[in-house]
Every structure is written in C-alpha cells, then in structure tokens.
Amino acid sequence: MESIYVRLNEFAAFVGPYPWLRALIIISIALFAGKIVDWMVTGILSRLVAKTKSDFDDKFLALLHRPVFFSVLLLGLAIATYELGLPENVTRITVECLKTIAVIVWFRFGLQLTNISVDQLDNDERFGFITATTNPLIKNVIFIVLVAFSVYVVFLIWNINITAWIASAGIIGLAVSFAAKDTLSNIFGGVTIFADKPFVVGDFINLESGERGMISHIGIRSTRILTRDDVEITVPNAILSTTIVVNESGGPSEKFRIRIKVGVAYGSDIDQVEEILSEIAKSHEEVCEVPEPRVRFRSFGDSSLDYELLAWVEKPVFRGKVSHELNRAVYQAFALENIEIPFPQQDIRIKQIVETQSD
C-alpha cells in the first residue's frame, strides 16, 4: 500500500498543496479503477464459463461484483486518508476501520458463496451426503468457521493479542464439555447419522427396543419417529448411533414383503390351495407384480399343513392395510371352496370316582 501511495502521490502532485483536493482525486480514481477492475475480472471469467451448462458460475460472478469493486474503493480511501495528513492515531484508526469493512465485505461474499454452493451440491446426485437434513448443518458449520476466521483477521488488524482469548476459550470449552457431555454426545451422534445415513426422513425403521415408525425429523440432538398410532417418539441421537436399527425402507428397493401365514387341514387339495393363494395376491391392486407373489408350503404342523403367502407392497406403510385385506380374502375364498382352516382343539374328560362305604 505504501508503494501505491507514493505513485498516486506523484500523480496527484500537479494539483498543488491542497490535500483535500488530492484526496478527492484519489477517491475518484479509485471509483473509476474499481469499475475497470470489476469489468476486467468478471468479463474475463464470464467468457471462460460461458459454455458451461450449470448456472452456478453465473451466480458466482453476480456475487463477485460487489467485493471486487469495494476492495479497490476501500484501497483508494485508505490512500486518500494518508494523503490528508491527519494525526497519526486518526490515520491509523481510519485505515484499520477501512480494513475491517473489507473483511466484512469478503465475509458476506464467502457466506453467500457457501449458501449457493451447498444448494448446488444438494441438487447434484453425485453428492449424496448433502440432503435436505444435512444442508443446514453444513451451512452452519461453514458459517462458524467463516466467523472465527474473520474475527481472527480483525484482531490482527487492530493488533489485539489473541493468546489470552484463545486460552479463555479453551477453559470455557473444557467447562462446557463437562457440563453438557450428554448434549455433546447427542450432537456427535447426530453428525454420525448425517455422515453415515443409516436412514433418512420418510424411512420406516424398527428399533432394538421394539418401537416402529416413520422418521419424521432428524435434528442435531435428537430424531423424531412417528409411530402407526400417530404418536411421535423422540430418541436421542446418541442412542440411535449405538443401537441396532432395522430400516424397512433401506436396501436396493423400498418395497416391503408381507407374510400371510395360514394352515389348511390334512387331506386338502394342495394344488387348489396354492392356486387360490396365488390368485388372491395377484388380484390385489396394491400388491406388486415385480417381485411376483409366491406361495410356500412351509411345514407339516400338528393339525394343519402350514402355508405362507409372500407378497410385496411399494412401501412399508402399506403393510397393515394390505395384510388385513389379504387375510380377509383368504378366509372368504377358503370358506367358498370348503377348504378347512383347522384350529387346535382339546377334549376334556372328567372321570367320576364313586366310593362305597362298607358297614
């Protein structure tokens, strides 16, 4: 900055010993130079990215206009401040204020660039770790990093010793970590869930403790599950990250298999039984055609031939409704075809003992 000041000072010397007029000329030159630099930088970049299909580069250039222009303008204002010949303290404070403004301008640019970058990656299927849930988390983490870096630069500008601040922050952080270890454990559990993605919002899961429901919200501290009774359960992320979770919506497909177990009496026509069960499943409108429904003869029971009808539905949420309708259809079809569904029976015999007494 000192060398630039010397050159501009030689350029403005022809106006005579009028510091305010010279400062005004320098500011005018800075305004003009800011427009020229902005035009050159964005113009060159716009030609380079003109053939790209993504609109990210256009948004980036739109954001770049303001910080480039203001950087040149603030540089000119700083040089003009030196030209005014103000007292040393006033000059120093003014220049440091201008540098701080520059940091704020570029911080705002970094924050806006972060938002459009994360949103752009969210729409790209190649970056699966960025979802509607992780999007705000990533933005908040980058925001904290940008704030910390900007504050650090401002402290350097104002010659503030940050060693004591860092030491104090370390002591406070240690105290907070002990006082809120459960909360921190849940937060780290949430980060693990965001990174590993064992489930997402909308998935049906079964917990090791027996709860089953749809993931309605994944937060930093806890995850909410909506059960089939329309009751919302809140589970801390520290528990979810360390327990066994069965994701019914996971795997290569979200389709869910239903098992209908039924027994028929010994002596029944097993070909007819298998045909009826197969037709019941195929005729149901919510049963998937692929995979095709299957009928399996599982075992010889104590009082029945045990069959199992296997059918798939599009989503786990349909399990209860379709199972109900298939059970009804099986019972009605067997009753119509006189196929007996046996049930356990017990015969109780009462033995009466008559005692005679001799005289």
Side-chain angles (χ1 to χ4, degrees):
M1 183 178 294
E2 295 290 343
S3 60
I4 298 176
Y5 165 70
V6 171
R7 294 180 181 179
L8 289 179
N9 187 38
E10 293 175 355
F11 175 77
F14 73 95
V15 299
Y18 302 103
W20 288 97
L21 180 58
R22 291 158 59 137
L24 183 60
I25 293 175
I26 293 174
I27 294 174
S28 301
I29 294 175
L31 285 170
F32 180 75
K35 290 293 185 180
I36 295 297
V37 173
D38 179 27
W39 175 77
M40 290 178 61
V41 172
T42 57
I44 295 173
L45 292 178
S46 62
R47 286 194 296 270
L48 293 176
V49 301
K51 298 181 180 180
T52 60
K53 297 180 180 179
S54 174
D55 61 344
F56 171 77
D57 44 22
D58 299 324
K59 296 178 180 178
F60 172 77
L61 290 178
L63 294 178
L64 193 60
H65 283 286
R66 180 171 295 181
V68 169
F69 172 75
F70 273 101
S71 296
V72 178
L73 176 61
L74 290 172
L75 178 62
L77 291 174
I79 296 173
T81 301
Y82 285 112
E83 186 66 28
L84 290 174
L86 300 173
E88 183 179 353
N89 289 337
V90 176
T91 301
R92 179 179 59 81
I93 293 175
T94 303
V95 172
E96 290 175 352
C97 288
L98 293 174
K99 292 179 180 179
T100 303
I101 294 174
V103 171
I104 295 174
V105 170
W106 282 102
F107 165 75
R108 185 170 181 270
F109 167 76
L111 190 60
Q112 292 175 330
L113 181 61
T114 297
N115 291 334
I116 65 172
S117 299
V118 175
D119 291 339
Q120 187 75 19
L121 295 178
D122 191 3
N123 297 326
D124 194 332
E125 296 180 354
R126 294 175 297 176
F127 299 90
F129 66 94
I130 301 181
T131 63
T133 305
T134 60
N135 188 313
L137 174 64
I138 296 174
K139 289 181 179 178
N140 290 334
V141 170
I142 297 178
F143 172 77
I144 293 173
V145 172
L146 288 176
V147 169
F149 180 74
S150 301
V151 171
Y152 173 74
V153 174
V154 170
F155 278 12
L156 293 179
I157 291 173
W158 291 89
N159 295 321
I160 298 175
N161 187 3
I162 62 174
T163 303
W165 290 83
I166 294 176
S168 300
I171 296 174
I172 294 174
L174 184 61
V176 170
S177 65
F178 278 111
K181 61 178 182 179
D182 292 336
T183 301
L184 292 176
S185 177
N186 290 325
I187 292 175
F188 284 118
V191 173
T192 302
I193 292 174
F194 288 138
D196 194 40
K197 291 201 302 184
F199 45 77
V200 296
V201 174
D203 282 357
F204 272 79
I205 66 171
N206 286 316
L207 300 183
E208 190 177 11
S209 55
E211 290 84 359
R212 175 182 181 268
M214 182 186 71
I215 300 293
S216 59
H217 175 75
I218 302 176
I220 297 298
R221 191 194 67 82
S222 63
T223 297
R224 293 197 287 270
I225 302 173
L226 185 65
T227 68
R228 298 303 297 153
D229 296 328
D230 287 334
V231 176
E232 192 171 67
I233 302 174
T234 300
V235 184
N237 288 333
I239 295 177
L240 280 179
S241 61
T242 57
T243 190
I244 297 176
V245 178
V246 178
N247 189 351
E248 296 181 358
S249 303
S253 173
E254 194 178 0
K255 293 180 180 180
F256 186 79
R257 184 163 68 177
I258 297 175
R259 299 174 181 266
I260 304 297
K261 297 181 179 181
V262 61
V264 297
Y266 279 92
S268 300
D269 185 347
I270 60 174
D271 293 329
Q272 182 186 20
V273 170
E274 293 175 5
E275 182 180 356
I276 291 174
L277 291 175
S278 180
E279 288 300 323
I280 288 173
K282 292 178 180 179
S283 62
H284 196 287
E285 60 181 8
E286 294 188 43
V287 172
C288 299
E289 296 181 0
V290 179
E292 186 179 6
R294 305 168 189 174
V295 179
R296 293 292 182 264
F297 186 174
R298 292 303 188 192
S299 64
F300 295 93
D302 294 335
S303 57
S304 65
L305 305 175
D306 297 331
Y307 275 91
E308 195 170 44
L309 172 60
L310 307 177
W312 281 259
V313 291
E314 289 293 342
K315 295 183 179 181
V317 68
F318 300 144
R319 183 185 72 172
K321 174 177 176 291
V322 176
S323 297
H324 161 74
E325 294 174 352
L326 290 178
N327 281 325
R328 282 176 50 88
V330 169
Y331 182 80
Q332 292 172 349
F334 280 8
L336 184 63
E337 297 295 334
N338 295 319
I339 298 175
E340 181 183 355
I341 301 177
F343 54 90
Q345 300 183 31
Q346 290 182 342
D347 294 333
I348 300 176
R349 296 181 180 182
I350 300 175
K351 185 177 181 181
Q352 184 177 4
I353 301 176
V354 180
E355 297 181 358
T356 60
Q357 295 181 353
S358 58
D359 294 337

